[in-house]
Amino acid sequence: MRIENSFEVEAPPERAWELLMDVPRVIPCMPGAELTETVDESTWRARVGVKLGPISLTFNADVERTQADEAAYRATLKATAREVRGRGNAQATIASALAAANGGTKVDIATDLALSGAVAQYGRGIVQDVATQLVSRFADCLQKQLTEPVETGEPAEPPEVKPVSGLSLGLRAVASSLRRRLRRLVHRA
């Protein structure tokens, strides 16, 4: 499935690009993610925790930067994740593009995601809505990373790593899905 999200940060493209290329600094901005190893300058290992109601899933992920075009502000990451208890796998190609917008930077993220195992049982709409919530939290963290160094003179501390609560994300996703369906019904009437 393809998931597309966009957000804006209050920083020029050069600063946003510099931060996004610092993967060890960015991984903790993804809710539930923790960097476990830097293999080399373009390969990392991470652990991602997700809690879906009573079910907790922990994924070990290999992340590789496969493309970085500084002149065009475009980058691509490839991630392969395995649930530690064998309950599912995920593969993702994440393409990001940055552009100047409204005095800051617009970040477009397109993710091609393939799920297998137990995690594949969730519908595309729920996955899309949860992804939107995660990207929103990710954007807030990036904004903090971009603004705190200016205010304090020191890099912002990465956020505390906690598993993502699927219940709260799921409830928001269900609410978003219901709003979409209601809008469709209203437009048909």
Side-chain angles (χ1 to χ4, degrees):
M1 77 181 71
R2 186 166 179 87
I3 301 169
E4 296 180 350
N5 292 291
S6 296
F7 60 90
E8 290 187 18
V9 292
E10 296 174 16
E14 303 80 34
R15 285 200 48 232
W17 175 259
E18 183 181 309
L19 176 59
L20 286 173
M21 290 299 98
D22 188 352
V23 173
R25 194 168 156 204
V26 170
I27 283 179
C29 279
M30 194 62 181
E34 162 185 29
L35 180 68
T36 58
E37 180 182 355
T38 297
V39 177
D40 58 38
E41 65 183 30
S42 63
T43 310
W44 304 269
R45 291 197 173 101
R47 181 176 297 261
V48 181
V50 180
K51 187 169 182 174
L52 301 169
I55 300 169
S56 291
L57 302 171
T58 302
F59 291 88
N60 287 328
D62 295 320
V63 181
E64 177 185 7
R65 183 173 33 233
T66 58
Q67 185 240 350
D69 182 345
E70 185 172 2
Y73 294 131
R74 295 184 179 277
T76 304
L77 296 175
K78 181 181 177 191
T80 304
R82 298 153 311 285
E83 204 283 326
V84 297
R85 290 185 219 122
R87 294 184 285 177
N89 297 306
Q91 291 190 356
T93 301
I94 306 147
S96 57
L98 285 65
N102 303 318
T105 302
K106 180 179 181 192
V107 180
D108 293 314
I109 300 173
T111 304
D112 289 312
L113 177 66
L115 302 172
S116 62
V119 294
Q121 296 174 12
Y122 299 98
R124 186 196 191 305
I126 294 293
V127 171
Q128 172 69 49
D129 291 335
V130 169
T132 299
Q133 296 295 322
L134 291 173
V135 168
S136 175
R137 290 183 185 184
F138 179 74
D140 290 345
C141 179
L142 287 183
Q143 183 64 53
K144 184 177 179 185
Q145 291 278 344
L146 286 164
T147 57
E148 277 197 15
V150 172
E151 294 170 4
T152 66
E154 296 180 16
E157 287 294 317
E160 178 185 350
V161 176
K162 298 184 281 186
V164 177
S165 170
L167 181 58
S168 64
L169 289 175
L171 290 174
R172 288 186 195 131
V174 168
S176 293
S177 179
L178 289 173
R179 280 193 297 273
R180 278 196 313 274
R181 288 183 183 163
L182 284 173
R183 277 189 223 121
R184 283 188 215 133
L185 288 173
V186 168
H187 290 301
R188 287 183 190 164

